[in-house]
Amino acid sequence: MAKSIVRFDDSLPILTEVVASELGHETLAAGTILRDTMGRLAFFSATALPEETVTHLSIRLQEALGAYARTDRIVASASDYGTAPVLTDPLTLRITIGPHSVRLLDRRLVGADWLRAPAPPAPPPPRFVFSSLKGGVGRSTALTVAAAHLAGRGGRVLAIDLDMEAPGLGSVLLNSDTLPEYGIIDALVENGLTPLDESFYADLIGPSALGGQRGRIDVIPAFGRRSMKHPADVLAKIARAYAEESQPDGSVATILDQVRAIVNHFATPARYDAILVDARAGLHETTASSVLGLGAEVLLFGLDEPQTFQGYAALLAHLARFVPANGPPPEWLERLTMVQGKAPLDPEERAGFEQRCSTLFAEIGLGPRPSRATREAPFPAGPFHDVPWDEDVPDEEVLPEEWGPRNPLAVLDDARFQRFNPHLRRDLLSEAVYQTAYGALLNRIENAVFAKPPSNP
């Protein structure tokens, strides 16, 4: 029988099984698996290994992994040159592969920001990221309605368009008179050459006429006036906007670091009550900066269709790798909310979406966990009312551990918001018009933005 070809998805499980069988589970768990930019693997042991053991294990891994074995050095002992930096690299992830808990250092040409754990919650003002895997789900429209709603309550809102390859927020919230000189694309390009000064930051913001009389909406569009004047240069700027930036201290700022620095510059309660970010659709590198890097509440928009759950399974399964196997629920899970776009009016029809979201989170390890109960309560052979009960057993030992994401929200389908253009249809930003479709989403955001501080005892 011909030997089957090892593919990417097979490679890590094969390596872990071979190393565990040769060195044991503890040595596997203490070492680091290095995956290079091509996907090839090597194992760096945290303990010193005899030379014959290294040779034997190298041969076994080369035979088992085929093309996914590193060709230069597939097994390194603790005392070998170059092992210590791999074992102490801060980007190493602790992940679970089958029965094994292993450390993985995943070298990537692109997508390295996805290896960073979700940032802790940002200080005020509250930040909300409007994210989706596909366009046409109502994400940008919902952001515009939310901005207008908060401004109508007297709020000062900063809206940022990070979707540089399919910009839309600037044209919805601004006009030719209020479009600022620069957009986020210029900030990311110029930031790589010279530090941004206050003059540049001031030219990055345009005031929206949709802010109403009580509040204010400021906008950082994807493209500013310069890009509109020189459209032939836009693709050239996009190609450079994603570049990493070398810092004076020798460190490297990824696009996540750069976007976070720009947002942090404006994020003070003295200037704004809320920051709303329109993330790029899909799982691009810039999406990582929005979803992971801003310490924001993340609203995951999607329609009730298989593509939504297939795509979010990939995203959420990756995030599940940041959850310790037996640790407490991660704080950031409370900041993820699925939002059903263009949802049916009938609550019973929406229940299917909610159930599928719950199932998705549970199946990938971000939903309710099985009971941690370790004590078995024997059922009596007699009447059921005579069930034994031990008051000394803590509740957490017998009750299931319940944790998971917040319940999904729904933005109801409303034909009036198709071809959304609030400059032509200002009535669409009237609360009487949008409240029915967007009420649940707006309540969530408004409660966070205008939350009353706790009273003194």
Side-chain angles (χ1 to χ4, degrees):
M1 180 182 294
K3 186 177 180 181
S4 60
I5 298 175
V6 176
R7 300 300 185 190
F8 186 91
D9 297 310
D10 310 318
S11 59
L12 270 177
I14 289 175
L15 181 139
T16 56
E17 287 298 332
V18 172
V19 173
S21 67
E22 293 288 341
L23 304 181
H25 298 283
E26 292 184 1
T27 302
L28 170 65
T32 296
I33 300 170
L34 174 67
R35 182 160 61 188
D36 67 17
T37 56
M38 297 296 292
R40 292 181 294 240
L41 301 174
F43 179 71
F44 288 72
S45 174
T47 57
L49 301 175
E51 185 174 345
E52 56 270 25
T53 301
V54 172
T55 301
H56 173 72
L57 181 57
S58 297
I59 293 173
R60 279 209 60 190
L61 287 173
Q62 286 166 350
E63 292 175 347
L65 291 171
Y68 280 92
R70 284 283 296 263
T71 55
D72 54 347
R73 180 170 57 167
I74 191 170
V75 178
S77 179
S79 56
D80 290 349
Y81 176 77
T83 297
V86 172
L87 294 175
T88 57
D89 194 299
L91 292 179
T92 301
L93 293 173
R94 170 69 69 180
I95 64 174
T96 300
I97 300 176
H100 308 295
S101 173
V102 302
R103 288 161 44 85
L104 173 66
L105 180 56
D106 203 5
R107 303 290 194 198
R108 302 184 183 188
L109 287 177
V110 297
D113 277 342
W114 284 112
L115 297 176
R116 301 167 71 166
R127 307 172 183 187
F128 295 88
V129 168
F130 291 64
S131 181
S132 69
L133 296 172
K134 296 172 54 181
V137 300
R139 184 192 74 236
S140 299
T141 300
L143 188 154
T144 301
V145 172
H149 180 77
L150 294 175
R153 294 285 195 269
R156 302 158 299 167
V157 180
L158 175 62
I160 304 174
D161 190 354
L162 288 182
D163 197 350
M164 291 181 287
E165 296 182 24
L169 204 60
S171 60
V172 172
L173 288 171
L174 301 171
N175 55 42
S176 57
D177 295 328
T178 58
L179 188 68
E181 190 72 5
Y182 303 113
I184 195 73
I185 188 174
D186 301 291
L188 292 171
V189 170
E190 302 299 335
N191 193 42
L193 299 174
T194 56
L196 306 183
D197 57 21
E198 287 301 327
S199 174
F200 187 94
Y201 280 122
D203 286 336
L204 201 54
I205 288 182
S208 174
L210 304 179
Q213 301 296 318
R214 299 184 60 191
R216 188 177 87 230
I217 303 174
D218 288 344
V219 184
I220 300 179
F223 300 163
R225 194 181 301 276
R226 292 281 184 99
S227 294
M228 295 296 98
K229 188 177 180 180
H230 304 284
D233 289 337
V234 167
L235 290 180
K237 286 197 285 188
I238 288 177
R240 288 158 179 81
Y242 299 138
E244 294 181 339
E245 174 192 339
S246 297
Q247 302 292 291
D249 62 359
S251 63
V252 173
T254 67
I255 190 168
L256 184 153
D257 299 312
Q258 297 173 61
V259 168
R260 179 160 56 193
I262 294 170
V263 173
N264 286 348
H265 178 84
F266 294 101
T268 64
R271 301 180 72 165
Y272 295 108
D273 298 301
I275 295 179
L276 310 183
V277 177
D278 195 21
R280 173 181 165 164
L283 299 176
H284 189 262
E285 187 80 350
T286 54
T287 309
S289 66
S290 307
V291 172
L292 303 180
L294 299 182
E297 287 208 32
V298 180
L299 304 167
L300 302 171
F301 282 74
L303 305 182
D304 190 5
E305 57 187 17
Q307 300 94 312
T308 295
F309 298 100
Q310 186 179 55
Y312 279 127
L315 171 63
L316 298 173
H318 173 74
L319 295 180
R321 288 182 163 177
F322 295 108
V323 182
N326 297 307
E331 175 279 333
W332 50 262
L333 189 57
E334 281 286 313
R335 291 187 275 120
L336 292 181
T337 302
M338 296 286 291
V339 181
Q340 183 181 9
K342 301 178 181 179
L345 301 181
D346 186 350
E348 293 187 3
E349 293 185 47
R350 298 199 298 271
F353 180 84
E354 296 175 4
Q355 182 57 51
R356 280 182 277 281
C357 289
S358 177
T359 301
L360 171 63
F361 276 77
E363 288 181 346
I364 63 177
L366 291 177
R369 292 180 171 180
S371 172
R372 296 182 300 185
T374 57
R375 306 187 186 192
E376 295 184 1
F379 281 92
F384 190 72
H385 61 76
D386 196 21
V387 175
W389 187 259
D390 187 349
E391 293 290 348
D392 295 330
V393 178
D395 289 348
E396 56 269 25
E397 289 193 14
V398 295
L399 296 177
E401 183 184 17
E402 295 184 358
W403 60 275
R406 291 183 171 184
N407 292 329
L409 298 173
V411 172
L412 304 184
D413 191 18
D414 188 331
R416 294 174 294 183
F417 288 88
Q418 296 176 4
R419 299 180 181 179
F420 180 63
N421 187 339
H423 295 289
L424 298 178
R425 290 281 311 273
R426 291 293 293 268
D427 63 299
L428 292 178
L429 296 183
S430 165
E431 185 168 357
V433 174
Y434 65 64
Q435 184 59 233
T436 299
Y438 293 89
L441 175 66
L442 298 177
N443 285 341
R444 168 73 62 80
I445 296 174
E446 184 177 347
N447 289 338
V449 173
F450 299 120
K452 294 181 180 178
S455 58
N456 296 324

